[in-house]
Amino acid sequence: MKSFTYERVDTPAAATAAFARTKGSRYIAGGTNLLDLMKLEIETPAHLIDISRLALDRIEPTSGGGLRIGAMVRNTDLASDERIRRDYGLVSRALVAGASGQLRNKATMGGNILQRTRCPYFYDTNQPCNKRQPGSGCAAIGGFNRILAVIGASDACIATQPSDVGVALRALDASVETVNVTGKTRVIPYADFYRAPGETPHIETALVPGELITAVTLPRPVGGTHVYHKVRDRASYAFALISVGLVVQRDGTGRVALGGVAYKPWRVEAAEADLPRGAKAVTAKLLAGAKTTHENAYKLPLVERTLAGVLAQAKG
Amino acid sequence: MKFDTPATTNPIDQLKVVGKPTNRIEGPLKTTGTAPYAYEHQDFAATQAYGYVVGSAIAKGKIASMNLDEAKAAPGVLAIVTAANAGKLGKGDFNNATLLGGPGIEHYHQAVALVVAGSFEQARAAASLVRVEYTRDKGAYDLSATVGTAGKAPVLYGNQPDTAVGDFASAFAAAPVQLDARYSTPDHAHAMMEPHASIASWEGDKLTVWTSNQMIAWSAGDVAKTLGLPKENVRLLSPYVGGGFGGKLYVRADAILAALGAKATKRPVKVALQRPLMMNNTPHRPATIQRIRLGATPDGKLTAIGHESWSGDLNAAKPEGAVAQTRLLYAGANRMTAMRIAALDLAEGNDMRAPGEAPGMMALEVAMDEMAEKLGLDPVQFRILNDTQVDPEAPSRPFTQRQLNKCLQMGAEKFGWSKRGKPASTRDGKWLVGMGVAAAFRNNLNANSAARVRLSSAGIVTVETDMTDIGTGSYTIIAQTAAEMMGVPLDNVVVKLGDSSFPVSSGSGGQWGANSSTAGVYAACVKLREAAAQKLGLNPADAVFADGKVKVGRRSFALGDAAKDGELVAEDRIEFGKLAEEKQQSTFGAHFVEVGVDSATGEVRIRRMLAVCAAGRILNPKAARSQVIGGMTMGAGAALMEELAVDKRFGFFVNHDLAGYEVPVHADIPYQEVIFLDETDPNTSPMKAKGVGELGICGVAAAVANAVYNATGARVRSYPITLDKFIDKLPEMT
Ligand SMILES: Cc1cc2nc3c(=O)[nH]c(=O)nc-3n(C[C@H](O)[C@H](O)[C@H](O)COP(=O)(O)OP(=O)(O)OC[C@H]3O[C@@H](n4cnc5c(N)ncnc54)[C@H](O)[C@@H]3O)c2cc1C
Ligand code: SF4
């Protein structure tokens, strides 16, 4: 770990001002991802701005009938919130399928969607990795890539985004609210939040340097039955091989998003019209253009079967 | 004390303390965080410096150049140890790769430097500034590519690479029912909680190392040999070990580098291997490819048993002895085994919990399941039918005890085995449900073991032996043994372990520790009883030691009175004779497992596990149960998730941390039950006990595999049984 300086801020404005002031700055919220990466020198910030005590820890109704989740709301608090459990069950279920109780107590809304890939080569600084060191190559392609992406990837990077709750946020049309160093706020649809790896897999999101996430908003509840199935080799405390987040209405219509298949939670709205026709039809459209490796080709049938399983479960 | 005739009645048979389910005597220290593990030892806290290990970035080749300038200039750096400045180093008897690489590199993450600094953070930061340029050589990393070309393995623990009885080839060819199948098991990591860690301190040319090690005498010897010191100049202390599983049988880089760092800085130095380094820096259980051929008569008698195993190791040094159990487990007149080994340039392979038997049973017990099905026999019955009460290779050698059939029968009854359906026939909602069985088998080994016992005037008995407690319960069973022998309550016994200045014990390995080390304490206590009786003017043969007293007839003394004029000290060693050659000593069991397989996703979830074990006298049923359920958990991991993924291009284990190398968590293990048959085996030692710590893992993974087959009808012969290997064989989703 490189040495760094540290300060704690009280307001979003102070946070962005601190960022503008000090070169090599980085926000730290729960620290559950950032600190691990710093210990391995995958992240080497010169200055940490601790935003964990910002007053962005509330879940409030929006004027549009939805909910605004402050960026500092802890994963545990979000998962157990009554409104979330009642109206956005997918969010709650996806959250508790992730990490462990201790981690969820620390992890924040903003940090969660910014957590970095679990590609094993990304974690080993001896290995080439375009995401960690642009231009060095990708060790995962042609290597151990059983858990990596089957769609939307590039020849430069086949990493996946590992957030569970992100799958729910995508299915429920969430947005990300931010403020940047000039004080300007904006709203980024979560659908547009992640950037395809292309030639620049080290650039992962639409955020510009110093841009602070203040909240994630959910539109008004969509009703229906919410099912989240995270498929993994061990029963708990493991990242998804793939996951399926499903919201299905009584008439069989609904929405579906996938985790563990791409650089972002994967959703193809056009595929959802086929939900009443079953998993095969949906998956064909959802994963059209998939490109698999010898080791991760199982993900295609797995998605289809898991979707069939959750559709059956949703019917009860 | 020589042990060369079977034990007769002795004070242990009273079973007032021994045999009782006793809590760990050191438990409160561990649960309150006051048991000092190697890295936490406080003696040197004021002066100690911290070492951080730099691991090689390549698997095979040479260091072309090393630039230490930046690292040396970093804040707090005191010294940097490399092969270039460490002086001439020897190699320990038990080491394969050298512990400090350079200029030659033998495997990935082989230590190439130790950066020593005033704080851990400074050492870690400076370690990343050590600039190393390498020249890569081509290496061999793919075991499957070596099958066919691999050579004969060296003799392993007395096992020849080739064994043959009768005429296997003809008998197999002539067998009406045949099975010929290949299985593979991957490389496994010990993945113990406590990493390898040491604090080293010099006084002149005398070295003290607080470390985490299973075998004190071996390792003190290897530290001395590596550093070129007389053995008596090395003191090793390892009173608490946070798990070893074989990964701490031998000296590793932490101990040697701490000693070199301490020498360079003239300060005590502490080193813990960082987790991401452990999988490639330290040994692992080597992968195997196994071929099993079974021939049987239509009524289910085995006539031919053949088992071949391929494994790899650095320098082709040590095979994984996966065929070992096949020589003893089932009857059959014509048999062969073969071990082949290839040179691979991965980190060295070495012992991990039940080396040989654990992966061997993973294959053999699936083959038995497959054969039972071919024969149309119940797999429990098929095993019972092929039981043998004698060594099948040498029928004049009986087993001392062998209750495998009883384990199977009792287990079948308790588990509800009769409810097992045909493959892919049982459903519970979305779950495909199946049951599996496997035999458990592991040889019982004994090793000479010494102890010293002291008696104080207060009647306190203190035991000193270099035995280790690696989380197994050694402290407790040794205390139970001394309490039983001296007739005192458990609270009046103090146990001191893991110090090379104490008498040399069996150490912890090969499940020999419990029986051997307590037998050593027994021997020392026999001497102490004699000394105490004499001191009190009593005839040792008549003296009864009970309730803190020594009595002959109506004469009764407090035990402590024998030490009124000064502490009494006795020392002895149990020395095992040839009993184990005359009769075969093994431990047996049966594992039963029920799994559910998600019919959509193929996720396998264990529902219930049962082990029935026959392993001699159980010295402490509570500790023994912990050992067996730990083994069952590890077996579940081997069955379903554990695999060090080899990068065959760059030559290393890719998933080298506990996020990537998955071991079971609580949610994977919902229900476990363990039953011990009531046994005593007078052939093993005066304790009449055997090992259980490794028996618990042997066969578990096969029972899981067989249950997955019973649930799904899909046979997976390559471990771990992950869903990607059989998803195409699951029923259509409608
Ligand atoms: C062992 C382990 C297992 C895990 N398992 C799972 C799992 O199964 N599923 C899952 O979904 N996750 C899992 N996680 C990941 C976990 O959810 C994330 O680490 C956590 O959500 C990150 O939140 P944090 O607040 O700690 O973020 P930090 O570590 O504090 O920050 C992460 C990143 O986000 C940036 N950041 C944080 N907040 C803001 C903000 N408001 N604005 C701008 N930038 C910001 C930081 O600069 C940093 O780059 C696991 C983590 C661990 C360590
Ligand atoms: S897949 Fe992406 S993260 Fe993984 S090694 Fe390749 S470039 Fe790096």
Side-chain angles (χ1 to χ4, degrees), chain B residues 400-403 407 444 511 515 586-588 613-620 624 676-684 687-692 695:
Chain B
T400 56
Q401 263 174 354
R402 176 169 161 131
Q403 299 205 68
C407 293
N444 182 64
Q511 79 169 8
N515 181 49
S586 302
T587 62
F588 298 90
C613 301
R617 172 175 282 154
I618 300 304
L619 301 173
N620 178 343
F676 293 107
L677 297 189
D678 197 6
E679 270 194 356
T680 49
D681 192 336
N683 298 281
T684 60
M687 304 303 294
K688 304 173 186 171
K690 294 176 179 172
V692 294
L695 179 66

Coordinates of all heavy atoms in Angstrom, one line a residue, chain B residues 400-403 407 444 511 515 586-588 613-620 624 676-684 687-692 695:
Chain B
T400 N -6.0 -55.6 12.7 CA -6.2 -55.7 14.2 C -7.6 -55.6 14.5 O -8.1 -56.3 15.3 CB -5.4 -54.5 14.9 OG1 -5.9 -53.3 14.4 CG2 -3.9 -54.6 14.7
Q401 N -8.3 -54.7 13.8 CA -9.8 -54.6 13.9 C -10.3 -54.0 12.7 O -9.6 -53.1 12.1 CB -10.1 -53.6 15.1 CG -10.4 -54.3 16.3 CD -10.5 -53.3 17.5 OE1 -10.2 -52.1 17.3 NE2 -10.9 -53.7 18.6
R402 N -11.4 -54.5 12.2 CA -12.0 -53.9 11.0 C -13.5 -54.0 11.1 O -14.0 -55.1 10.8 CB -11.4 -54.6 9.8 CG -12.0 -54.2 8.5 CD -11.2 -54.7 7.3 NE -12.1 -54.6 6.1 CZ -11.7 -54.1 4.9 NH1 -10.5 -53.6 4.7 NH2 -12.6 -54.0 3.9
Q403 N -14.1 -53.0 11.4 CA -15.6 -53.0 11.5 C -16.2 -52.2 10.4 O -17.2 -51.5 10.7 CB -16.0 -52.5 12.9 CG -15.5 -53.3 14.0 CD -16.4 -53.2 15.3 OE1 -17.5 -53.6 15.3 NE2 -15.9 -52.5 16.3
C407 N -20.0 -50.3 10.3 CA -20.1 -48.9 10.0 C -21.2 -48.7 8.9 O -22.0 -47.8 9.0 CB -18.8 -48.2 9.6 SG -17.6 -48.2 10.9
N444 N -3.8 -46.3 10.2 CA -3.4 -45.8 11.5 C -1.9 -45.8 11.6 O -1.3 -46.9 11.4 CB -4.0 -46.6 12.7 CG -3.6 -46.0 14.0 OD1 -3.9 -44.9 14.3 ND2 -2.8 -46.7 14.8
Q511 N -2.6 -38.2 11.1 CA -3.5 -38.6 12.2 C -2.8 -39.5 13.2 O -3.5 -40.3 13.9 CB -4.8 -39.2 11.6 CG -4.8 -40.6 11.1 CD -6.2 -41.1 10.8 OE1 -7.2 -40.4 10.9 NE2 -6.4 -42.4 10.6
N515 N -2.9 -40.6 19.3 CA -2.5 -41.9 19.9 C -1.1 -41.9 20.4 O -0.7 -42.3 21.5 CB -2.8 -43.0 19.0 CG -2.4 -44.4 19.6 OD1 -2.9 -44.7 20.7 ND2 -1.7 -45.2 18.8
S586 N -5.6 -50.1 10.8 CA -6.3 -49.0 9.9 C -7.5 -48.5 10.6 O -8.0 -49.1 11.6 CB -6.7 -49.6 8.6 OG -5.6 -50.2 7.9
T587 N -8.0 -47.4 10.1 CA -9.3 -46.9 10.7 C -10.3 -46.9 9.6 O -10.0 -46.7 8.4 CB -9.1 -45.4 11.2 OG1 -8.7 -44.6 10.1 CG2 -8.0 -45.3 12.3
F588 N -11.6 -47.1 10.0 CA -12.6 -47.3 9.0 C -13.8 -46.4 9.3 O -14.0 -46.0 10.5 CB -13.1 -48.8 9.1 CG -12.0 -49.7 8.7 CD1 -11.1 -50.2 9.7 CD2 -11.7 -50.0 7.4 CE1 -10.1 -51.0 9.4 CE2 -10.7 -50.9 7.0 CZ -9.9 -51.4 8.0
C613 N -17.8 -44.0 12.4 CA -16.4 -44.3 12.4 C -16.0 -45.4 13.4 O -16.6 -45.5 14.5 CB -15.6 -43.0 12.8 SG -16.0 -41.6 11.8
A614 N -15.1 -46.2 13.0 CA -14.5 -47.2 13.9 C -13.0 -47.0 13.9 O -12.3 -47.3 13.0 CB -14.8 -48.6 13.4
A615 N -12.6 -46.4 15.0 CA -11.2 -45.9 15.1 C -10.6 -46.1 16.4 O -9.9 -45.2 17.0 CB -11.2 -44.4 14.6
G616 N -10.8 -47.2 17.0 CA -10.2 -47.5 18.3 C -10.8 -46.7 19.4 O -11.9 -46.2 19.2
R617 N -10.1 -46.6 20.5 CA -10.7 -45.8 21.7 C -10.8 -44.4 21.3 O -9.8 -43.8 20.8 CB -9.9 -46.1 22.9 CG -10.3 -45.2 24.1 CD -9.5 -45.5 25.3 NE -10.0 -46.7 26.0 CZ -9.3 -47.5 26.8 NH1 -8.0 -47.2 26.9 NH2 -9.8 -48.5 27.3
I618 N -11.9 -43.8 21.6 CA -12.0 -42.3 21.3 C -11.7 -41.6 22.6 O -12.4 -41.7 23.6 CB -13.5 -42.0 20.8 CG1 -13.8 -42.8 19.5 CG2 -13.6 -40.5 20.6 CD1 -12.8 -42.5 18.4
L619 N -10.6 -40.9 22.6 CA -10.0 -40.3 23.8 C -10.9 -39.2 24.4 O -11.0 -39.0 25.6 CB -8.6 -39.8 23.6 CG -7.6 -40.9 23.1 CD1 -6.3 -40.3 22.7 CD2 -7.4 -42.0 24.2
N620 N -11.5 -38.4 23.4 CA -12.3 -37.3 23.8 C -13.4 -37.2 22.7 O -13.1 -36.6 21.7 CB -11.5 -36.0 24.0 CG -12.4 -34.8 24.3 OD1 -13.6 -34.8 24.2 ND2 -11.7 -33.8 24.8
A624 N -13.0 -35.4 19.1 CA -13.0 -36.3 17.9 C -14.1 -36.0 17.0 O -13.9 -36.0 15.8 CB -13.1 -37.8 18.4
F676 N -19.4 -42.8 16.7 CA -18.2 -43.7 16.9 C -18.6 -45.0 17.4 O -19.3 -45.1 18.4 CB -17.3 -43.0 17.9 CG -16.7 -41.7 17.4 CD1 -17.1 -40.5 17.9 CD2 -15.7 -41.7 16.4 CE1 -16.6 -39.3 17.5 CE2 -15.2 -40.5 16.0 CZ -15.6 -39.3 16.5
L677 N -18.1 -46.1 16.8 CA -18.3 -47.4 17.3 C -17.5 -47.5 18.6 O -16.4 -47.0 18.7 CB -18.0 -48.5 16.3 CG -18.8 -48.6 15.0 CD1 -18.4 -49.8 14.2 CD2 -20.3 -48.5 15.3
D678 N -18.0 -48.3 19.5 CA -17.2 -48.5 20.8 C -16.1 -49.5 20.5 O -16.4 -50.7 20.4 CB -18.2 -49.1 21.8 CG -17.7 -48.9 23.2 OD1 -16.6 -48.3 23.3 OD2 -18.4 -49.4 24.1
E679 N -14.9 -49.1 20.4 CA -13.8 -49.9 20.1 C -12.6 -49.6 21.0 O -12.4 -48.5 21.5 CB -13.2 -49.6 18.7 CG -13.9 -50.4 17.6 CD -13.0 -50.3 16.3 OE1 -12.0 -49.6 16.2 OE2 -13.4 -51.0 15.3
T680 N -11.8 -50.6 21.3 CA -10.5 -50.4 21.8 C -9.5 -51.3 21.1 O -9.9 -52.4 20.7 CB -10.4 -50.8 23.3 OG1 -10.9 -52.1 23.5 CG2 -11.1 -49.8 24.2
D681 N -8.4 -50.8 20.7 CA -7.4 -51.6 20.0 C -6.1 -51.7 20.7 O -5.3 -50.8 20.7 CB -7.2 -51.0 18.6 CG -6.4 -52.0 17.7 OD1 -5.7 -52.9 18.2 OD2 -6.6 -51.8 16.4
P682 N -5.9 -52.8 21.4 CA -4.7 -53.0 22.3 C -3.4 -53.0 21.4 O -2.3 -53.0 22.0 CB -4.9 -54.3 23.0 CG -5.9 -55.0 22.2 CD -6.8 -54.0 21.5
N683 N -3.5 -53.2 20.1 CA -2.3 -53.3 19.3 C -1.7 -51.9 19.0 O -0.6 -51.8 18.5 CB -2.7 -53.9 18.0 CG -3.1 -55.3 18.2 OD1 -2.4 -56.2 18.4 ND2 -4.5 -55.5 18.2
T684 N -2.4 -50.8 19.2 CA -1.9 -49.5 18.8 C -1.0 -48.9 19.8 O 0.0 -48.2 19.4 CB -3.1 -48.6 18.4 OG1 -3.9 -48.4 19.6 CG2 -4.0 -49.1 17.3
M687 N -2.8 -46.6 25.0 CA -4.0 -45.8 25.0 C -5.1 -46.6 24.2 O -6.3 -46.2 24.3 CB -3.8 -44.5 24.3 CG -2.7 -43.6 24.9 SD -2.9 -43.2 26.6 CE -4.4 -42.2 26.5
K688 N -4.8 -47.6 23.4 CA -5.7 -48.4 22.6 C -6.5 -47.5 21.7 O -7.7 -47.8 21.3 CB -6.6 -49.2 23.6 CG -5.8 -50.1 24.5 CD -6.6 -50.8 25.6 CE -5.7 -51.5 26.5 NZ -6.3 -52.0 27.7
A689 N -5.9 -46.4 21.2 CA -6.6 -45.5 20.4 C -6.0 -45.5 19.0 O -5.0 -46.1 18.7 CB -6.5 -44.1 21.0
K690 N -6.7 -44.8 18.1 CA -6.1 -44.6 16.7 C -6.4 -43.2 16.3 O -7.0 -42.4 17.1 CB -6.9 -45.6 15.7 CG -6.6 -47.0 15.9 CD -7.4 -47.8 15.0 CE -7.2 -49.3 15.1 NZ -8.2 -50.1 14.3
G691 N -6.1 -42.8 15.1 CA -6.3 -41.5 14.6 C -7.7 -41.4 14.1 O -8.3 -42.3 13.6
V692 N -8.3 -40.2 14.1 CA -9.6 -39.9 13.4 C -9.5 -38.7 12.6 O -10.4 -38.4 11.7 CB -10.8 -39.7 14.4 CG1 -11.1 -41.0 15.2 CG2 -10.5 -38.6 15.4
L695 N -9.4 -39.6 8.9 CA -10.4 -40.6 8.5 C -11.7 -39.8 8.1 O -12.3 -40.1 7.1 CB -10.8 -41.5 9.7 CG -11.9 -42.5 9.5 CD1 -11.5 -43.5 8.5 CD2 -12.3 -43.1 10.8

